[in-house]
Amino acid sequence: MPEGDTVWRACKRLDQALGGQELTRTDFRVPSLATTDLSGRTMLEVVAKGKHLLMRLSDGVTIHSHLRMEGSWHLYRPGEPRKGGPDYQVRVVLETANWVAVGYRLPVLELVATAAEDTVVGHLGPDLLSPDFDRSVALANLAAEPDRTISEALLDQRRIAGMGTVYRAETLFLGGVSPFRSVSEVRDVGKVLSLARRLMLANLNNPLQVTTGIARRGKQHWVYGRAGMPCRRCGTIIQSAMQGPSPDRERIVYWCPTCQPA
Ligand SMILES: [Zn+2]
């Protein structure tokens, strides 16, 4: 699943291309929207809420999509070859005079009234990337389940929104916190949140998601994707494991057993 900053970058690109432009043609290829035609409406703005994409159109309509593991949005110039996947994976095409936005494999694609966006994103906790991130609400949300492991809690979008497995691993490493500690065992959860925000905000315009300060592929992370390799700080072999509330919802965690003692 992409991290919040990945969705934020996608929204920014879509907003720069489509924002303020009239839709000249729309083609929805999901059964529930098969007869929908939004041509003639103006794309007012594209914004990210956690990992959700909201395309706000004139006349109070929002196109809500979510990428989960498999979805993506691509932008093309009219007539340009499309490389996002085979045609049968296209879920929606939105055209303006200058751009064609194509949504591939979107597991969530629906229309909601802009005034009712809360019905699709209202469950989200404070967004780590939001300028008005509400730290006290985030802390209270995490504290509400004190026995849960900190690593599972950080990925629960109802508690805080925007975190994925990359920033989770890197944040816990930099905070010296074992992913297997319970929320109540973490001395300073606020510090963990501050670290996460700092890493994510620093990478808003950087798809490499650099946390080490070295913007080179293979060097950009402390522990994420480095199982079996020596810790960059202490030389201990980095570990990985699957962790989650149930076998079908397990996600990978990485940690250094020395820098992040259990
Ligand atoms: Zn280490």
Side-chain angles (χ1 to χ4, degrees):
M1 188 172 307
E3 314 272 327
D5 65 326
T6 307
V7 175
W8 188 92
R9 280 190 295 278
C11 285
K12 187 179 170 195
R13 281 196 308 274
L14 289 162
D15 186 64
Q16 284 170 344
L18 309 177
Q21 303 298 310
E22 184 185 316
L23 296 177
T24 52
R25 183 177 160 269
T26 68
D27 178 7
F28 287 87
R29 301 186 190 172
V30 293
S32 59
L33 299 175
T35 59
T36 302
D37 180 2
L38 297 177
S39 59
R41 298 196 193 221
T42 300
M43 179 73 74
L44 301 176
E45 59 179 349
V46 183
V47 297
K49 283 272 158 93
K51 301 181 186 181
H52 297 249
L53 294 92
L54 300 171
M55 297 171 153
R56 294 175 179 149
L57 308 180
S58 54
D59 302 322
V61 173
T62 294
I63 303 170
H64 168 231
S65 60
H66 196 291
L67 309 177
R68 295 236 177 94
M69 304 296 274
E70 66 273 32
S72 60
W73 278 95
H74 292 245
L75 279 167
Y76 303 102
R77 292 295 186 179
E80 188 186 342
R82 298 178 187 175
K83 299 172 194 151
D87 205 47
Y88 69 85
Q89 294 181 347
V90 171
R91 298 291 172 266
V92 61
V93 180
L94 304 174
E95 296 186 18
T96 65
N98 297 315
W99 290 100
V100 181
V102 183
Y104 290 92
R105 300 170 299 273
L106 301 172
V108 176
L109 178 66
E110 59 186 350
L111 300 184
V112 291
T114 304
E117 283 176 1
D118 259 8
T119 59
V120 291
V121 294
H123 65 287
L124 296 174
D127 187 339
L128 283 161
L129 288 174
S130 168
D132 40 78
F133 173 70
D134 195 327
R135 183 187 169 85
S136 55
V137 170
L139 285 171
N141 285 352
L142 293 172
E145 283 184 290
D147 297 334
R148 204 168 182 196
T149 62
I150 182 70
S151 54
E152 282 182 65
L154 289 176
L155 284 200
D156 185 340
Q157 305 297 303
R158 295 167 303 165
R159 306 287 172 194
I160 49 168
M163 176 91 80
T165 49
V166 176
Y167 291 113
R168 166 173 80 171
E170 298 297 287
T171 296
L172 291 176
F173 174 81
L174 288 169
V177 175
S178 163
F180 302 100
R181 280 201 199 170
S182 65
V183 171
S184 62
E185 288 170 337
V186 177
R187 203 170 300 139
D188 191 348
V189 178
K191 183 180 148 199
V192 171
L193 289 181
S194 299
L195 268 170
R197 280 203 88 210
R198 205 168 75 220
L199 292 179
M200 293 177 73
L201 289 169
N203 280 291
L204 264 188
N205 292 303
N206 185 358
L208 269 184
Q209 302 178 316
V210 176
T211 58
T212 54
I214 304 172
R216 282 210 313 277
R217 206 166 284 284
K219 303 266 185 194
Q220 78 269 39
H221 296 142
W222 291 100
V223 292
Y224 184 83
R226 299 195 65 246
M229 292 185 235
C231 174
R232 297 191 196 283
R233 192 180 273 162
C234 75
T236 304
I237 298 300
I238 302 296
Q239 305 291 309
S240 72
M242 297 304 285
Q243 186 194 37
S246 58
D248 59 320
R249 288 167 62 202
E250 287 192 322
R251 309 279 302 280
I252 195 160
V253 289
Y254 296 91
W255 76 101
C256 169
T258 302
C259 294
Q260 299 163 265

